[in-house]
Amino acid sequence: MDGNAPDFAAASRAALADPQLRGNFRRAMDGLMSKRAAQFADTGEWTGVRALAASVRLRALSKLPELLEKLEENCTRNGIAVHWAATTEEANAIALDILHKANAKLVVKGKSMVTEEMHLNAVLEKDGIEVLESDLGEYIVQLDGTMPSHIIMPAIHLNTKQIAHLFKRKIKDAESREDAAYLTDLARRVLRAKFQAADVGMSGVNAAVAETGTLCLIENEGNGRMCTTVPPVHIAFMGLEKVVETLEDVPPVISLLPRSATGQPITTYVNMISGPRKDGEKDGPREVHLVILDNGRSGIYADPELRDTLRCIRCGACMNHCPVYTKVGGHAYEAPYPGPIGKILVPQIEGLAKRGAMPHACTMCNACVEICPVKIPIVEIMGRLRVEAVKPGGAVKDGGAKASRAEAMVWSGWAAMNASPTAYRIATAAMSRLGNAAPASLPMLKEWTNVRTKPRFAGRTLHDLARAKGVPDV
């Protein structure tokens, strides 16, 4: 294994051995799945709005370069400063430059997966800038010193008792009360004071409208609105795939995202940001900046099959239904995007040398595909990445990093065996008699034996069993 590569197998074993973690996830996932199912009880409505949302994302991707240029033009006209970043390092440098010019000492952040991808908090803290997450779940994991375990519900791996103990340790004068309302109010009091004192507010972007230069941000807690209106400077971060063509393209996304994510009929707040405060207006930031991050996305976009990865609207429904994620949780992936969408996005962004194990953490059951609101063919892309991992010179970063000559020889032999009826009969007869003595370290068995004992071959082949029943050879 690459010395810098996270050990997903070891992290998964640790998660599976933690009964508290598994219990927390089981209760949360059961609730989320049932709530989502209730929202889409009308299969006709689900099919129609899903097809519409998928078409919105596909159309936007088909025109992506043109729409990005139009977005920049209209944002600039509205007074939003647009910054382009090819890498996370460039995006962090842009953010620091804006903060230094604003002489910022305190930053409050709304939810943003792109800043998780950038590891922005660590960069700001290293520079001596205080940064505070204002989304309740993000605030909890920040206090805990861990990364989010879910893209929508960052602290879903913790229960009320654990959060109460965390607040007691980390927040001055906090009472030891396992009461969700009390804990929420306690966090609110801390955050309100920070909103008033913050020099800069940061947020993500759910959709950026090219035709109007509008940044759309949806949320439930009101913290996003506070981050984008109270501080004098607002910095929004988005991946370049978040652009849509028109305002009419936003409602299908808004309709599907909360229902798919948390089982809500509609999100609580919809923020439309089209520029900084104008003369005569009483609130809003004096400056608005938009940082558009590539970080490997243009390479994904260049491949017609892999491009579908970029349809994602970050609802997290695929995680809630994934039999792997729901057992091991998000921290086992050690990645900003866990679960099925992470298994296809992160290897393409960070490379297969580091993340080649992620596409294999999948049963190929297709549950994620069936509930994806924008119809991403996740399993097909997962299969493609498995091929890319052992195929040098492919389209994905570090293609061929997991190639093994011995394994390639084994699979070549397997193909030859299955191409000849005679070879197949001889080989299966031999395996039925000698297979149980085969070492567990055989290359073609290694992925199995990393997590399971080696399968025992049956005493007789299928042909033997057929003959015993009088079935003639074909």
Side-chain angles (χ1 to χ4, degrees):
M1 178 177 287
D2 186 327
N4 296 318
D7 191 340
F8 178 79
S12 296
R13 284 192 290 271
L16 292 171
D18 184 341
Q20 181 67 72
L21 178 71
R22 294 193 66 183
N24 292 350
F25 265 96
R26 186 69 275 157
R27 284 187 293 274
M29 296 297 107
D30 286 348
L32 288 168
M33 285 191 289
S34 62
K35 289 177 182 177
R36 180 203 164 275
Q39 288 297 323
F40 296 113
D42 184 339
T43 55
E45 190 262 350
W46 155 249
T47 302
V49 73
R50 185 188 192 210
L52 179 58
S55 69
V56 165
R57 297 300 301 132
L58 285 168
R59 175 161 41 83
L61 291 174
S62 72
K63 303 178 179 180
L64 188 60
E66 170 194 333
L67 293 183
L68 287 170
E69 290 180 2
K70 191 172 183 180
L71 175 68
E72 180 183 31
E73 177 186 344
N74 287 323
C75 282
T76 303
R77 182 181 296 116
N78 292 342
I80 299 174
V82 179
H83 310 265
W84 299 89
T87 64
T88 57
E89 291 78 13
E90 286 185 20
N92 286 325
I94 290 166
L96 283 173
D97 182 58
I98 297 169
L99 293 171
H100 291 161
K101 288 177 179 177
N103 195 30
K105 302 299 180 185
L106 172 61
V107 173
V108 288
K109 285 180 67 222
K111 189 159 181 55
S112 166
M113 290 310 303
V114 166
T115 59
E116 295 288 347
E117 188 178 329
M118 294 161 53
H119 303 288
L120 180 60
N121 287 9
V123 172
L124 299 187
E125 289 166 358
K126 185 177 180 181
D127 197 67
I129 298 171
E130 182 184 357
V131 55
L132 187 73
E133 296 285 355
S134 64
D135 173 88
L136 180 58
E138 293 281 358
Y139 175 64
I140 291 168
V141 297
Q142 185 181 31
L143 284 180
D144 200 31
T146 57
M147 64 193 306
S149 60
H150 192 287
I151 65 173
I152 296 295
M153 295 149 286
I156 200 168
H157 58 289
L158 299 174
N159 61 28
T160 304
K161 181 178 180 178
Q162 292 170 308
I163 295 169
H165 289 174
L166 173 66
F167 279 19
K168 177 65 177 175
R169 294 196 314 270
K170 297 289 186 175
I171 299 177
K172 184 179 179 182
D173 299 327
E175 299 175 19
S176 184
R177 290 171 56 183
E178 297 173 24
D179 182 290
Y182 167 77
L183 296 172
T184 302
D185 185 62
L186 178 62
R188 184 184 294 115
R189 292 200 301 269
V190 173
L191 293 170
R192 286 278 172 167
K194 296 293 185 178
F195 285 131
Q196 295 296 332
D199 303 299
V200 173
M202 294 180 174
S203 75
V205 177
N206 291 105
V209 183
E211 76 167 350
T212 59
T214 302
L215 311 180
C216 303
L217 173 63
I218 69 174
E219 39 130 356
N220 283 324
E221 300 171 16
N223 64 299
R225 186 161 295 181
M226 297 288 281
C227 287
T228 60
T229 58
V230 177
V233 178
H234 169 215
I235 309 174
F237 297 85
M238 62 174 268
L240 58 78
E241 77 278 16
K242 287 292 186 175
V243 67
V244 296
E245 186 170 9
T246 70
L247 276 174
E248 291 181 350
D249 293 333
V250 176
V253 175
I254 293 177
S255 172
L256 279 173
L257 203 159
R259 290 194 284 171
S260 297
T262 57
Q264 297 171 249
I266 192 168
T267 190
T268 309
Y269 296 90
V270 178
N271 305 290
M272 299 286 204
I273 301 165
S274 295
R277 183 194 305 191
K278 296 179 175 59
D279 292 339
E281 294 182 340
K282 295 183 178 180
D283 60 10
R286 296 292 182 185
E287 297 177 27
V288 179
H289 299 264
L290 174 62
V291 180
I292 302 176
L293 178 65
D294 185 331
N295 196 31
R297 289 166 171 81
S298 57
I300 298 172
Y301 176 77
D303 187 284
E305 182 179 16
L306 299 177
R307 181 183 303 172
D308 285 330
T309 306
L310 302 179
R311 291 193 214 175
C312 181
I313 61 172
R314 304 291 189 269
C315 70
C318 60
M319 300 176 193
N320 304 342
H321 293 73
C322 174
V324 177
Y325 174 88
T326 56
K327 297 295 187 297
V328 303
H331 288 160
Y333 297 85
E334 299 180 68
Y337 305 99
I341 189 60
K343 286 180 256 187
I344 62 173
L345 178 59
V346 174
Q348 296 184 71
I349 290 175
E350 298 187 12
L352 289 163
K354 181 178 180 180
R355 297 294 188 173
M358 288 185 75
H360 290 278
C362 177
T363 65
M364 299 294 200
C365 68
N366 228 44
C368 53
V369 178
E370 291 177 5
I371 53 82
C372 175
V374 288
K375 302 170 74 170
I376 301 172
I378 295 174
V379 170
E380 291 181 19
I381 297 172
M382 205 92 68
R384 167 72 182 278
L385 292 177
R386 291 182 179 186
V387 172
E388 292 280 345
V390 296
K391 179 183 175 183
V396 180
K397 181 181 178 182
D398 303 328
K402 302 299 180 181
S404 162
R405 181 174 296 179
E407 189 168 354
M409 291 175 63
V410 169
W411 286 112
S412 294
W414 179 88
M417 178 189 78
N418 282 275
S420 165
T422 301
Y424 178 84
R425 291 191 180 100
I426 293 171
T428 52
M431 283 190 288
S432 70
R433 291 160 178 77
L434 304 175
N436 292 323
S441 59
L442 279 175
M444 70 182 297
L445 294 177
K446 70 179 184 181
E447 291 299 335
W448 181 283
T449 55
N450 278 343
V451 292
R452 301 178 179 87
T453 56
K454 178 172 63 67
R456 293 182 61 83
F457 290 100
R460 292 184 292 173
T461 68
L462 288 175
H463 284 285
D464 292 336
L465 293 172
R467 291 191 192 100
K469 292 182 177 293
V471 178
D473 287 343
V474 178

